[in-house]
Amino acid sequence: MRILLVEDEEKILRRIERALKSSGYIVEISGDGEDAWFRGDTENFDAVVLDLGLPQMDGIQILKRWRAAGRLMPVLILTARGSWMERVEGIDAGADDYLPKPFQMEELKARLRALVRRSTGAAQTILQAGPVSLDTRQMLISIDGATIDLSILEYRLISYLIHHKGRVVTQLELTEHVYGEDIERDSNAVEVLVSRVRKKIKVDLIVTRRGYGYTIPDDLPGPDDDMPDSSVNA
Ligand code: CA
């Protein structure tokens, strides 16, 4: 999951950035309104954390422009404490949620998880795909109840595909949301990652759609269905 974090106060910015990174997100930062608007307008993010008081262009204006241009990613605004006018203005401008400063980092993380979930149509903190379950709160993936030890990239890959279950995700989109900016767009890193994940989890979860990308189908047999255990004789 790729987050755009917009905040002009360096200390707060770094604190949020650290917290979100340790929760497995790819975090892109911006401290300037104009730059933030441009990035949100031209790049794809799974959610945005947006401070309202910013140099160059304020948060409300940025949000209004995004929405007017049809950019619909979930946006959580950071508002001044006690300023109900800011909150009303923000929600009217198209914010999906708000958090008054100062806030507890755990609350920011919980609200962000909920926003990302809702934007992909999931209402629960635990998402299920066949025998595989993803606990978004604890960043854990388990198969038939047993936790799988995954690297952060492997976790991001499964998490992104489960959040978009039933839809074919292109290799380019996966590269963007699993690796962020720090990788060549045409590299085959995703292919390598998918095959590593397949070996590790040993269940048929990720399906290749040749020429298009990858998908986790909607109709995988659930954990209670009778599944052949491929790991027994491995
Ligand atoms: Ca500010």
Side-chain angles (χ1 to χ4, degrees), residues 4 14-15 18 26 35 49-50 82 101 118 143 155 202 219 222 224:
L4 176 62
R14 295 299 168 192
R15 220 162 55 86
R18 261 202 315 278
I26 297 168
D35 171 69
V49 176
L50 180 65
K101 286 178 175 178
R118 282 205 299 271
I143 297 175
Y155 171 83
K202 301 189 179 88
D219 51 358
D224 301 319

Side-chain angles (χ1 to χ4, degrees), residues 53-211:
L54 293 166
Q56 307 305 326
M57 192 189 297
D58 70 53
I60 298 285
Q61 209 182 334
I62 294 172
L63 193 49
K64 280 184 177 162
R65 285 207 191 178
W66 282 341
R67 295 316 192 211
R71 306 291 292 166
L72 299 175
M73 64 286 195
V75 174
L76 171 80
I77 53 172
L78 304 177
T79 67
R81 186 168 57 106
S83 172
W84 63 268
M85 281 185 300
E86 243 183 36
R87 296 201 291 272
V88 170
E89 217 186 341
I91 290 164
D92 280 346
D96 299 273
D97 200 0
Y98 65 85
L99 196 57
K101 286 178 175 178
F103 52 82
Q104 292 296 320
M105 204 53 78
E106 285 307 313
E107 183 173 4
L108 174 69
K109 280 155 60 176
R111 287 182 179 277
L112 205 52
R113 279 196 300 271
L115 275 188
V116 170
R117 268 196 330 261
R118 282 205 299 271
S119 73
T120 59
Q124 308 294 324
T125 55
I126 295 179
L127 309 184
Q128 195 77 32
V132 179
S133 62
L134 165 73
D135 183 333
T136 56
R137 288 178 61 174
Q138 308 203 53
M139 288 175 63
L140 287 179
I141 288 172
S142 50
I143 297 175
D144 290 326
T147 302
I148 309 292
D149 188 23
L150 296 168
S151 73
I152 185 71
L153 291 174
E154 293 162 353
Y155 171 83
R156 279 186 195 151
L157 175 82
I158 299 176
S159 169
Y160 194 78
L161 286 171
I162 289 188
H163 273 88
H164 296 273
K165 196 169 69 164
R167 173 164 87 74
V168 179
V169 179
T170 65
Q171 191 146 331
L172 181 68
E173 185 179 340
L174 269 179
T175 307
E176 207 171 55
H177 293 262
V178 172
Y179 291 94
E181 299 287 86
D182 41 317
I183 193 163
E184 293 273 328
R185 288 300 167 102
D186 56 352
S187 83
N188 65 346
V190 166
E191 243 176 284
V192 175
L193 186 62
V194 167
S195 75
R196 212 163 66 210
V197 164
R198 281 179 173 147
K199 272 188 203 133
K200 215 172 220 184
I201 65 177
K202 301 189 179 88
V203 292
D204 287 332
L205 178 73
I206 304 171
V207 176
T208 305
R209 290 284 159 78
R210 218 146 285 290

Side-chain angles (χ1 to χ4, degrees), residues 6-9 12 51-55 78 101:
V6 188
E7 167 64 76
D8 61 326
E9 275 168 71
I12 304 180
D51 181 35
L52 292 187
L54 293 166
L78 304 177
K101 286 178 175 178

